[in-house]
Amino acid sequence: MELRSVEELMDLLYAGRHRHALRTAALLRRGRPADKELQVAALVRGIGPVLCPGDEATRADSAAEAVRSLLGERVSRLVRADEDAADDDVLRLRQAEEESRTAAFDAGVLEDWRTVLELVAAGRCRLGAVD
């Protein structure tokens, strides 16, 4: 499946378990406010179970392929990040995922992320951009 719009992506996000993804993305927003692609990758990693409900082995690959054309190569790579990847961005993403499991704060709602998703989809948010 290839997503063609932020609206399609939002539908998948709403269909999944998004509370953990929201907390992870919010933690990354606090720690790396200019890196919208990293934040978005944290948010969309959770669409794998919606795309492949019974197939745990292919969830990350399916989610990465689904968002590649919409959100770009970097987001796709971060969504796919396997257990052996030692890239700094992947490590930061994993750290935020772990931290978000015990973090107790209001991470907002999915709708808060629509504009960020649209900016990343439009290619207007690249690493190093000013907030």
Side-chain angles (χ1 to χ4, degrees), residues 21-37:
L22 277 171
R23 284 192 305 271
T24 303
L27 285 169
L28 288 166
R29 177 183 275 171
R30 291 175 181 179
R32 305 256 314 257
D35 196 345
K36 303 302 185 206
E37 291 176 336

Side-chain angles (χ1 to χ4, degrees), residues 43-109:
L43 189 65
V44 302
R45 280 174 61 101
I47 67 169
V50 177
L51 295 172
C52 302
D55 189 3
E56 246 181 88
T58 63
R59 287 178 179 174
D61 287 339
S62 295
E65 285 306 312
V67 301
R68 178 185 310 283
S69 63
L70 181 64
L71 300 176
E73 186 61 39
R74 181 169 180 248
V75 173
S76 176
R77 179 180 57 80
L78 290 167
V79 169
R80 176 176 277 121
D82 63 18
E83 295 298 317
D84 299 326
D87 172 295
D88 285 343
D89 292 335
V90 172
L91 294 175
R92 180 64 189 117
L93 181 58
R94 281 197 206 121
Q95 180 184 14
E97 285 178 336
E98 284 302 313
E99 188 178 338
S100 70
R101 293 184 201 293
T102 58
F105 65 94
D106 182 5
V109 296

Side-chain angles (χ1 to χ4, degrees), residues 10 13-14 18 22 43 108-114 117:
M10 290 295 291
L13 290 168
Y14 276 113
H18 56 269
L22 277 171
L43 189 65
V109 296
L110 277 175
E111 200 58 39
D112 296 340
W113 288 90
R114 183 180 297 271
L117 289 167

Side-chain angles (χ1 to χ4, degrees), residues 2-34:
E2 181 178 303
L3 296 172
R4 291 167 288 194
S5 70
V6 170
E7 194 60 41
E8 286 180 355
L9 177 55
M10 290 295 291
D11 289 344
L12 286 175
L13 290 168
Y14 276 113
R17 294 182 180 170
H18 56 269
R19 288 285 163 215
H20 180 251
L22 277 171
R23 284 192 305 271
T24 303
L27 285 169
L28 288 166
R29 177 183 275 171
R30 291 175 181 179
R32 305 256 314 257

